[in-house]
Amino acid sequence: MKAIGLLILAAIIDAAAGFQLSMTKRIITTKITTQITMTTIENSNNADADHTLYDLPVSNNGARCRIILYKKALSSQQVEIVSPMTLGGLKSEEYMKRSPMGLMPCLTLNNKETNPYGISSLAESDTIARYLLSEYSDAAPSFLPEHPKSNQICRWHDVYLTTIQGCLYKAASRLPVGDYPDRKSAIAAYRKNWNII
């Protein structure tokens, strides 16, 4: 079994190919799959959705959560994907109530009747991904690796690749990346770590 990180990378590429933007008035809808659409401008939250994932297609961290939704074929009734702009943006007071660091993704737990945790939202993609895997464990695939090598590869990916992946696309003005003073050394480290995986 290949690493979950590699499976997720393949799924990101697969999922990204499915994005189709269409604009109607002030609402931009992103067609993700036949089950999932994402509202990116106006607030049209599905009041009946069990969860709301505040995210955008450009978010690498959010991709971890979206892939779980796509591959498990969860409906927008289960998890609706909405832009943080519907609440005024990442730094708006309304969004910061849900995600105190003002980062995405953020998942709200809307169904108070079935929420035994006493929390209204989760921030950080790893926490959200673990919650989704647990909450929707009856929907395949499980995504839970059962092999120590897979676990090691996933951890290596999360610690040594994602922390410097910005070297692949960030403007030079946003460097350095991690512990690396320039793009060339960060890319060399990225390649080294990718080859280890």
Side-chain angles (χ1 to χ4, degrees):
M1 176 176 148
K2 290 286 185 185
I4 290 296
L6 297 177
L7 172 66
I8 289 176
L9 180 62
I12 288 171
I13 294 167
D14 180 50
F19 284 112
Q20 299 171 352
L21 292 177
S22 63
M23 186 162 190
T24 310
K25 294 183 184 176
R26 291 177 48 206
I27 300 174
I28 297 175
T29 303
T30 304
K31 186 75 170 172
I32 308 296
T33 67
T34 55
Q35 297 90 11
I36 300 173
T37 58
M38 182 173 105
T39 305
T40 58
I41 297 296
E42 290 186 351
N43 189 355
S44 64
N45 291 354
N46 179 354
D48 297 327
D50 294 334
H51 304 89
T52 302
L53 179 67
Y54 291 95
D55 191 34
L56 290 173
V58 297
S59 169
N60 290 326
N61 292 321
R64 176 187 308 215
C65 304
R66 292 190 312 271
I67 287 167
I68 292 169
L69 302 180
Y70 306 152
K71 294 300 181 180
K72 286 182 170 283
L74 300 179
S75 71
S76 60
Q77 176 64 37
Q78 293 167 300
V79 182
E80 182 183 28
I81 304 173
V82 177
S83 168
M85 291 303 294
T86 61
L87 298 175
L90 295 174
K91 302 303 178 189
S92 72
E93 184 178 330
E94 196 61 34
Y95 188 76
M96 300 274 287
K97 288 178 187 175
R98 293 163 175 80
S99 178
M101 298 297 286
L103 301 172
M104 62 181 175
C106 175
L107 181 76
T108 59
L109 289 66
N110 301 333
N111 193 336
K112 300 199 185 329
E113 295 172 10
T114 60
N115 177 358
Y117 309 106
I119 55 175
S120 59
S121 63
L122 295 170
E124 295 296 325
S125 61
D126 186 63
T127 303
I128 295 168
R130 290 170 187 268
Y131 172 81
L132 292 171
L133 292 175
S134 173
E135 185 73 9
Y136 297 103
S137 60
D138 56 330
S142 75
F143 286 105
L144 298 176
E146 297 176 5
H147 194 281
K149 185 175 181 182
S150 296
N151 291 333
Q152 180 177 354
I153 290 171
C154 290
R155 183 67 181 157
W156 193 278
H157 173 269
D158 289 350
V159 172
Y160 300 105
L161 288 179
T162 60
T163 57
I164 60 171
Q165 70 186 10
C167 70
L168 300 173
Y169 56 84
K170 284 187 179 177
S173 63
R174 296 198 52 203
L175 296 174
V177 178
D179 295 331
Y180 304 96
D182 56 40
R183 184 182 311 276
K184 184 177 181 180
S185 58
I187 289 174
Y190 192 90
R191 284 185 178 141
K192 174 187 171 196
N193 290 316
W194 181 259
N195 287 331
I196 291 171
I197 289 177

